[in-house]
């Protein structure tokens, strides 16, 4: 059976937003959707591989574009194949199409939802407009409230761009007021394709200072139940515990992304770049043998005191954006500054609530 697997299933290669930093680029204009037969094969192969329950993150593009009836059918398909193993459902969404019916279904099936929200309306709308222009902030907040009313567990994803950098404390307070359990602050990064350059909208040092400001705002309010994913995961790692965060585990081998056509990738951020195979053409057990090995720290990382607890050393994607596997991550300065700050301040407790 092997190790536990986590699957990302991309139901749609379309999106109803035009985010300025989208790493998937023109692929989201293809209009392609996963056929039911393809999903059936993916789920059948997942049932034969790995150990324990199978977490599935339903993804896109924007997965809700397939429509609620089709989405229900997809979840039923997975449940039919994986019920004896256990199925843990999550949805990554921009929230635009989440109405009352969607919220009720997600609650009924015990979904966790990862909702993209980049902060107050000015920050969010500047980076996440609709295809025809105009902001999407109000629609996302409405989706959040609908999900909360149905007691769906919602975790927010906030992408950090240059206008976000001086507003870390404001963002922490804003997300606390929304009553969510967890927020993930991720820097906007993109791997170039077909000769295009790799891109980072913020540099490592700037991102590190942002996280330090966010940490201080979080520590100022010890009664807050908000978790900041990258911070709490790093603190757990420094306590010698499992982080629960793939970028800190240094191993892509338990994660798989399935494209709409059955193609398999080691991580969604590598979609279109590193294709391992296709489940329509060969068994998943053969594809699993091609997964990338555990990331090897480059010379710069080996000389750093934080090498064993740094995403820049451990995450193949962060190293790939740097342009050379032997170099440190493009976020190197930020992760180093954050860990030095944690060391100087004294390691705080890793969990709340």
């Amino acid at each position: 059976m092997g190790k536990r697997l986590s699957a990302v299933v991309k139901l749609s290669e379309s999106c109803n937003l035009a985010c300025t930093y989208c790493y998937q680029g023109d692929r989201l204009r293809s209009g392609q959707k996963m056929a039911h037969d393809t999903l059936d094969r993916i789920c059948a192969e997942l049932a034969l591989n790995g150990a324990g329950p199978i977490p599935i993150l339903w993804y896109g593009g924007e997965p809700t574009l397939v429509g609620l009836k089709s989405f229900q059918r997809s979840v039923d398909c997975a449940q039919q194949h994986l019920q004896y193993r256990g199925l843990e459902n999550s949805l990554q969404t921009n929230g635009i199409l989440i109405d009352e019916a969607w919220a009720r279904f997600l609650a009924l099936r015990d979904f966790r939802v990862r909702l993209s929200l980049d902060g107050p309306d000015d920050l969010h709308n500047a980076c996440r407009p609709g295809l025809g222009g105009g902001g999407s902030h109000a629609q996302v907040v409405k989706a959040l409230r609908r999900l909360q009313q149905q007691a769906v567990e919602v975790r927010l994803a906030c992408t950090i761009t240059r206008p976000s950098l001086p507003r870390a404390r404001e963002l922490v307070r804003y997300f606390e007021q929304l009553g969510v359990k967890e927020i993930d602050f991720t820097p906007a990064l993109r791997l170039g394709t077909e000769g295009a350059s790799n891109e980072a909208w913020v540099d490592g040092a700037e991102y590190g200072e942002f996280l330090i400001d966010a940490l201080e705002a979080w520590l100022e309010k010890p009664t807050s139940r908000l978790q900041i994913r990258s911070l709490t995961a790093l603190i757990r790692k420094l306590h010698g515990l499992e982080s629960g965060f793939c970028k800190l585990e240094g191993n892509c081998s338990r994660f798989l992304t399935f494209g709409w056509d059955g193609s398999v990738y080691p991580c969604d951020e590598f979609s279109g770049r590193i294709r391992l195979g296709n489940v329509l053409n060969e068994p998943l057990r053969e594809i699993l043998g091609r997964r990338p090995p555990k990331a090897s720290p480059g010379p710069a990382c080996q000389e750093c005191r934080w090498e064993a607890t740094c995403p820049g050393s451990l995450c193949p994607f962060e190293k790939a954006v740097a342009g050379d596997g032997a170099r440190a991550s493009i976020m190197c300065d930020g992760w180093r500054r954050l860990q030095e700050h944690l060391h100087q301040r004294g390691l705080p407790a890793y969990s709340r609530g």
Side-chain angles (χ1 to χ4, degrees):
M1 292 288 287
K3 298 179 180 179
R4 188 178 184 187
L5 295 177
S6 294
V8 175
V9 177
K10 304 187 71 172
L11 294 177
S12 169
E13 285 284 355
S14 298
C15 190
N16 47 1
L17 292 182
C19 301
T20 59
Y21 48 66
C22 181
Y23 67 88
Q24 300 193 65
D26 292 339
R27 294 201 309 274
L28 297 191
R29 304 293 172 259
S30 71
Q32 300 286 2
K33 296 180 181 179
M34 183 177 287
H36 182 75
D37 288 349
T38 302
L39 177 64
D40 188 73
R41 178 62 179 270
I42 289 170
C43 294
E45 290 292 325
L46 284 172
L48 297 174
N49 292 274
I54 300 287
I56 291 183
L57 174 62
W58 301 94
Y59 202 79
E62 174 49 45
T64 61
L65 284 172
V66 301
L68 181 54
K69 289 185 178 180
S70 178
F71 187 80
Q72 290 172 330
R73 187 184 181 198
S74 297
V75 176
D76 288 342
C77 176
Q79 180 65 32
Q80 179 180 359
H81 282 286
L82 300 170
Q83 57 185 339
Y84 78 97
R85 293 276 302 276
L87 173 62
E88 300 170 0
N89 285 305
S90 299
L91 172 69
Q92 172 72 50
T93 178
N94 60 33
I96 303 302
L97 297 178
I98 300 294
D99 57 13
E100 298 292 345
W102 269 98
R104 287 194 297 269
F105 172 76
L106 295 170
L108 179 65
R109 296 301 186 93
D110 198 27
F111 264 75
R112 294 182 176 182
V113 174
R114 289 168 45 177
L115 182 65
S116 297
L117 180 62
D118 283 358
D121 55 0
D122 63 320
L123 284 177
H124 180 93
N125 289 339
C127 292
R128 300 183 67 83
L131 292 177
S136 60
H137 180 269
Q139 293 165 284
V140 179
V141 174
K142 285 181 180 179
L144 172 62
R145 296 309 185 201
R146 290 184 181 119
L147 293 166
Q148 289 174 326
Q149 288 169 2
Q150 295 293 330
V152 175
E153 182 178 313
V154 182
R155 304 181 181 208
L156 297 182
C158 175
T159 301
I160 302 305
T161 54
R162 189 163 297 278
S164 313
L165 293 172
R167 299 173 65 174
R169 290 172 179 268
E170 176 190 350
L171 285 169
V172 171
R173 297 292 174 249
Y174 175 75
F175 292 123
E176 284 175 340
Q177 293 168 5
L178 289 177
V180 295
K181 178 179 179 179
E182 183 179 86
I183 177 67
D184 193 9
F185 292 125
T186 58
L189 302 175
R190 177 163 59 193
L191 276 175
T193 56
E194 298 180 358
S197 300
N198 298 338
E199 296 178 82
W201 277 256
V202 296
D203 68 29
E206 294 171 329
Y207 181 58
E209 292 302 320
F210 174 91
L211 288 179
I212 289 170
D213 287 345
L215 171 70
E216 291 301 318
W218 184 68
L219 293 175
E220 285 170 4
K221 195 173 179 182
T223 58
S224 172
R225 296 176 65 86
L226 178 70
Q227 300 282 345
I228 302 174
R229 186 186 185 201
S230 53
L231 294 178
T232 53
L234 177 57
I235 293 168
R236 285 182 61 87
K237 186 82 171 181
L238 291 169
H239 274 288
L241 302 170
E242 184 176 345
S243 70
F245 187 28
C246 65
K247 288 181 179 291
L248 282 168
E249 296 307 318
N251 194 345
C252 291
S253 65
R254 61 170 287 198
F255 299 94
L256 292 172
T257 293
F258 296 90
W260 68 272
D261 61 350
S263 293
V264 184
Y265 306 91
C267 169
D268 183 57
E269 291 173 312
F270 282 122
S271 292
R273 285 283 293 248
I274 301 179
R275 182 177 177 273
L276 303 177
N278 190 300
V279 292
L280 300 183
N281 302 327
E282 57 187 326
L284 181 60
R285 66 176 179 273
E286 295 183 11
I287 297 173
L288 291 174
R290 304 183 196 123
R291 287 175 296 182
K294 190 170 183 177
S296 299
C301 295
Q302 293 173 355
E303 297 172 3
C304 177
R305 66 180 295 193
W306 309 113
E307 176 263 325
T309 54
C310 179
S313 167
L314 299 169
C315 175
F317 175 74
E318 288 213 8
K319 294 176 73 65
V321 179
D324 181 349
R327 293 174 53 205
S329 161
I330 199 167
M331 293 288 111
C332 174
D333 287 343
W335 293 117
R336 185 180 67 249
R337 291 187 186 200
L338 175 61
Q339 297 203 66
E340 288 173 351
H341 181 81
L342 283 167
H343 177 72
Q344 293 168 3
R345 204 187 195 289
L347 199 57
Y350 59 83
S351 184
R352 291 176 177 172

PDB file of all heavy atoms in Angstrom, residues 48-67:
ATOM      1  N   LEU A  48      -6.273   2.061  -4.893  1.00  0.00           N
ATOM      2  CA  LEU A  48      -5.321   0.953  -4.930  1.00  0.00           C
ATOM      3  C   LEU A  48      -3.945   1.325  -4.410  1.00  0.00           C
ATOM      4  O   LEU A  48      -3.071   0.459  -4.314  1.00  0.00           O
ATOM      5  CB  LEU A  48      -5.184   0.437  -6.368  1.00  0.00           C
ATOM      6  CG  LEU A  48      -6.443  -0.161  -7.011  1.00  0.00           C
ATOM      7  CD1 LEU A  48      -6.180  -0.477  -8.475  1.00  0.00           C
ATOM      8  CD2 LEU A  48      -6.892  -1.401  -6.251  1.00  0.00           C
ATOM      9  N   ASN A  49      -3.732   2.593  -4.082  1.00  0.00           N
ATOM     10  CA  ASN A  49      -2.393   3.049  -3.723  1.00  0.00           C
ATOM     11  C   ASN A  49      -2.432   3.859  -2.431  1.00  0.00           C
ATOM     12  O   ASN A  49      -3.446   4.442  -2.073  1.00  0.00           O
ATOM     13  CB  ASN A  49      -1.811   3.912  -4.848  1.00  0.00           C
ATOM     14  CG  ASN A  49      -1.512   3.119  -6.094  1.00  0.00           C
ATOM     15  OD1 ASN A  49      -0.452   2.535  -6.227  1.00  0.00           O
ATOM     16  ND2 ASN A  49      -2.472   3.072  -7.018  1.00  0.00           N
ATOM     17  N   GLY A  50      -1.287   3.904  -1.756  1.00  0.00           N
ATOM     18  CA  GLY A  50      -1.193   4.650  -0.517  1.00  0.00           C
ATOM     19  C   GLY A  50      -1.804   3.891   0.649  1.00  0.00           C
ATOM     20  O   GLY A  50      -2.256   2.752   0.531  1.00  0.00           O
ATOM     21  N   ALA A  51      -1.808   4.554   1.805  1.00  0.00           N
ATOM     22  CA  ALA A  51      -2.324   3.946   3.021  1.00  0.00           C
ATOM     23  C   ALA A  51      -3.202   4.944   3.752  1.00  0.00           C
ATOM     24  O   ALA A  51      -2.958   6.148   3.710  1.00  0.00           O
ATOM     25  CB  ALA A  51      -1.168   3.504   3.927  1.00  0.00           C
ATOM     26  N   GLY A  52      -4.230   4.431   4.424  1.00  0.00           N
ATOM     27  CA  GLY A  52      -5.073   5.285   5.246  1.00  0.00           C
ATOM     28  C   GLY A  52      -6.051   6.115   4.434  1.00  0.00           C
ATOM     29  O   GLY A  52      -6.206   5.931   3.221  1.00  0.00           O
ATOM     30  N   PRO A  53      -6.743   7.049   5.096  1.00  0.00           N
ATOM     31  CA  PRO A  53      -7.710   7.909   4.410  1.00  0.00           C
ATOM     32  C   PRO A  53      -7.053   8.734   3.305  1.00  0.00           C
ATOM     33  O   PRO A  53      -5.858   9.049   3.367  1.00  0.00           O
ATOM     34  CB  PRO A  53      -8.239   8.812   5.529  1.00  0.00           C
ATOM     35  CG  PRO A  53      -7.941   8.075   6.793  1.00  0.00           C
ATOM     36  CD  PRO A  53      -6.677   7.319   6.536  1.00  0.00           C
ATOM     37  N   ILE A  54      -7.842   9.080   2.291  1.00  0.00           N
ATOM     38  CA  ILE A  54      -7.347   9.872   1.166  1.00  0.00           C
ATOM     39  C   ILE A  54      -7.918  11.289   1.259  1.00  0.00           C
ATOM     40  O   ILE A  54      -9.124  11.480   1.123  1.00  0.00           O
ATOM     41  CB  ILE A  54      -7.769   9.257  -0.180  1.00  0.00           C
ATOM     42  CG1 ILE A  54      -7.225   7.844  -0.331  1.00  0.00           C
ATOM     43  CG2 ILE A  54      -7.310  10.142  -1.340  1.00  0.00           C
ATOM     44  CD1 ILE A  54      -5.762   7.761  -0.599  1.00  0.00           C
ATOM     45  N   PRO A  55      -7.080  12.293   1.522  1.00  0.00           N
ATOM     46  CA  PRO A  55      -7.558  13.670   1.426  1.00  0.00           C
ATOM     47  C   PRO A  55      -7.590  14.103  -0.040  1.00  0.00           C
ATOM     48  O   PRO A  55      -6.602  13.922  -0.763  1.00  0.00           O
ATOM     49  CB  PRO A  55      -6.500  14.480   2.206  1.00  0.00           C
ATOM     50  CG  PRO A  55      -5.611  13.469   2.865  1.00  0.00           C
ATOM     51  CD  PRO A  55      -5.707  12.226   2.039  1.00  0.00           C
ATOM     52  N   ILE A  56      -8.715  14.645  -0.483  1.00  0.00           N
ATOM     53  CA  ILE A  56      -8.818  15.195  -1.833  1.00  0.00           C
ATOM     54  C   ILE A  56      -9.126  16.685  -1.726  1.00  0.00           C
ATOM     55  O   ILE A  56     -10.090  17.084  -1.068  1.00  0.00           O
ATOM     56  CB  ILE A  56      -9.906  14.496  -2.666  1.00  0.00           C
ATOM     57  CG1 ILE A  56      -9.499  13.055  -2.991  1.00  0.00           C
ATOM     58  CG2 ILE A  56     -10.166  15.258  -3.972  1.00  0.00           C
ATOM     59  CD1 ILE A  56     -10.490  12.320  -3.881  1.00  0.00           C
ATOM     60  N   LEU A  57      -8.309  17.484  -2.384  1.00  0.00           N
ATOM     61  CA  LEU A  57      -8.578  18.908  -2.533  1.00  0.00           C
ATOM     62  C   LEU A  57      -9.136  19.112  -3.930  1.00  0.00           C
ATOM     63  O   LEU A  57      -8.443  18.910  -4.927  1.00  0.00           O
ATOM     64  CB  LEU A  57      -7.300  19.728  -2.342  1.00  0.00           C
ATOM     65  CG  LEU A  57      -7.419  21.233  -2.605  1.00  0.00           C
ATOM     66  CD1 LEU A  57      -8.411  21.885  -1.646  1.00  0.00           C
ATOM     67  CD2 LEU A  57      -6.057  21.919  -2.519  1.00  0.00           C
ATOM     68  N   TRP A  58     -10.412  19.480  -4.026  1.00  0.00           N
ATOM     69  CA  TRP A  58     -11.060  19.735  -5.309  1.00  0.00           C
ATOM     70  C   TRP A  58     -10.669  21.130  -5.757  1.00  0.00           C
ATOM     71  O   TRP A  58     -10.867  22.112  -5.034  1.00  0.00           O
ATOM     72  CB  TRP A  58     -12.570  19.587  -5.155  1.00  0.00           C
ATOM     73  CG  TRP A  58     -12.974  18.224  -4.676  1.00  0.00           C
ATOM     74  CD1 TRP A  58     -13.199  17.844  -3.384  1.00  0.00           C
ATOM     75  CD2 TRP A  58     -13.165  17.051  -5.474  1.00  0.00           C
ATOM     76  NE1 TRP A  58     -13.530  16.504  -3.325  1.00  0.00           N
ATOM     77  CE2 TRP A  58     -13.525  15.993  -4.595  1.00  0.00           C
ATOM     78  CE3 TRP A  58     -13.088  16.792  -6.838  1.00  0.00           C
ATOM     79  CZ2 TRP A  58     -13.795  14.709  -5.047  1.00  0.00           C
ATOM     80  CZ3 TRP A  58     -13.359  15.505  -7.291  1.00  0.00           C
ATOM     81  CH2 TRP A  58     -13.701  14.484  -6.410  1.00  0.00           C
ATOM     82  N   TYR A  59     -10.129  21.217  -6.983  1.00  0.00           N
ATOM     83  CA  TYR A  59      -9.372  22.405  -7.374  1.00  0.00           C
ATOM     84  C   TYR A  59      -9.662  22.751  -8.831  1.00  0.00           C
ATOM     85  O   TYR A  59     -10.374  22.063  -9.531  1.00  0.00           O
ATOM     86  CB  TYR A  59      -7.882  22.080  -7.170  1.00  0.00           C
ATOM     87  CG  TYR A  59      -6.947  23.250  -6.997  1.00  0.00           C
ATOM     88  CD1 TYR A  59      -6.854  23.901  -5.781  1.00  0.00           C
ATOM     89  CD2 TYR A  59      -6.119  23.668  -8.046  1.00  0.00           C
ATOM     90  CE1 TYR A  59      -5.966  24.951  -5.604  1.00  0.00           C
ATOM     91  CE2 TYR A  59      -5.237  24.708  -7.875  1.00  0.00           C
ATOM     92  CZ  TYR A  59      -5.162  25.358  -6.650  1.00  0.00           C
ATOM     93  OH  TYR A  59      -4.284  26.397  -6.480  1.00  0.00           O
ATOM     94  N   GLY A  60      -9.060  23.834  -9.296  1.00  0.00           N
ATOM     95  CA  GLY A  60      -9.159  24.250 -10.685  1.00  0.00           C
ATOM     96  C   GLY A  60      -7.851  24.895 -11.122  1.00  0.00           C
ATOM     97  O   GLY A  60      -6.803  24.563 -10.589  1.00  0.00           O
ATOM     98  N   GLY A  61      -7.948  25.957 -11.919  1.00  0.00           N
ATOM     99  CA  GLY A  61      -9.041  26.850 -12.162  1.00  0.00           C
ATOM    100  C   GLY A  61      -9.958  27.057 -10.980  1.00  0.00           C
ATOM    101  O   GLY A  61      -9.573  27.033  -9.830  1.00  0.00           O
ATOM    102  N   GLU A  62     -11.209  27.257 -11.328  1.00  0.00           N
ATOM    103  CA  GLU A  62     -12.250  27.426 -10.321  1.00  0.00           C
ATOM    104  C   GLU A  62     -13.189  26.225 -10.410  1.00  0.00           C
ATOM    105  O   GLU A  62     -13.957  26.087 -11.364  1.00  0.00           O
ATOM    106  CB  GLU A  62     -13.009  28.729 -10.545  1.00  0.00           C
ATOM    107  CG  GLU A  62     -14.209  28.936  -9.641  1.00  0.00           C
ATOM    108  CD  GLU A  62     -13.891  28.703  -8.169  1.00  0.00           C
ATOM    109  OE1 GLU A  62     -12.841  29.192  -7.681  1.00  0.00           O
ATOM    110  OE2 GLU A  62     -14.686  28.019  -7.499  1.00  0.00           O
ATOM    111  N   PRO A  63     -13.120  25.303  -9.429  1.00  0.00           N
ATOM    112  CA  PRO A  63     -13.874  24.050  -9.533  1.00  0.00           C
ATOM    113  C   PRO A  63     -15.390  24.224  -9.511  1.00  0.00           C
ATOM    114  O   PRO A  63     -16.108  23.374 -10.054  1.00  0.00           O
ATOM    115  CB  PRO A  63     -13.395  23.246  -8.321  1.00  0.00           C
ATOM    116  CG  PRO A  63     -12.846  24.261  -7.372  1.00  0.00           C
ATOM    117  CD  PRO A  63     -12.273  25.347  -8.221  1.00  0.00           C
ATOM    118  N   THR A  64     -15.889  25.303  -8.914  1.00  0.00           N
ATOM    119  CA  THR A  64     -17.347  25.472  -8.871  1.00  0.00           C
ATOM    120  C   THR A  64     -17.935  25.778 -10.242  1.00  0.00           C
ATOM    121  O   THR A  64     -19.155  25.704 -10.425  1.00  0.00           O
ATOM    122  CB  THR A  64     -17.743  26.582  -7.885  1.00  0.00           C
ATOM    123  OG1 THR A  64     -17.162  27.824  -8.307  1.00  0.00           O
ATOM    124  CG2 THR A  64     -17.279  26.261  -6.474  1.00  0.00           C
ATOM    125  N   LEU A  65     -17.099  26.082 -11.226  1.00  0.00           N
ATOM    126  CA  LEU A  65     -17.597  26.349 -12.572  1.00  0.00           C
ATOM    127  C   LEU A  65     -18.201  25.110 -13.232  1.00  0.00           C
ATOM    128  O   LEU A  65     -18.925  25.232 -14.222  1.00  0.00           O
ATOM    129  CB  LEU A  65     -16.472  26.906 -13.453  1.00  0.00           C
ATOM    130  CG  LEU A  65     -16.092  28.375 -13.213  1.00  0.00           C
ATOM    131  CD1 LEU A  65     -14.849  28.735 -14.004  1.00  0.00           C
ATOM    132  CD2 LEU A  65     -17.243  29.304 -13.589  1.00  0.00           C
ATOM    133  N   VAL A  66     -17.933  23.934 -12.696  1.00  0.00           N
ATOM    134  CA  VAL A  66     -18.540  22.731 -13.272  1.00  0.00           C
ATOM    135  C   VAL A  66     -20.017  22.642 -12.911  1.00  0.00           C
ATOM    136  O   VAL A  66     -20.756  21.849 -13.514  1.00  0.00           O
ATOM    137  CB  VAL A  66     -17.804  21.451 -12.814  1.00  0.00           C
ATOM    138  CG1 VAL A  66     -16.338  21.497 -13.208  1.00  0.00           C
ATOM    139  CG2 VAL A  66     -17.974  21.198 -11.320  1.00  0.00           C
ATOM    140  N   GLY A  67     -20.476  23.439 -11.962  1.00  0.00           N
ATOM    141  CA  GLY A  67     -21.870  23.395 -11.536  1.00  0.00           C
ATOM    142  C   GLY A  67     -22.069  22.466 -10.353  1.00  0.00           C
ATOM    143  O   GLY A  67     -21.331  21.476 -10.188  1.00  0.00           O
TER     144      GLY A  67
END
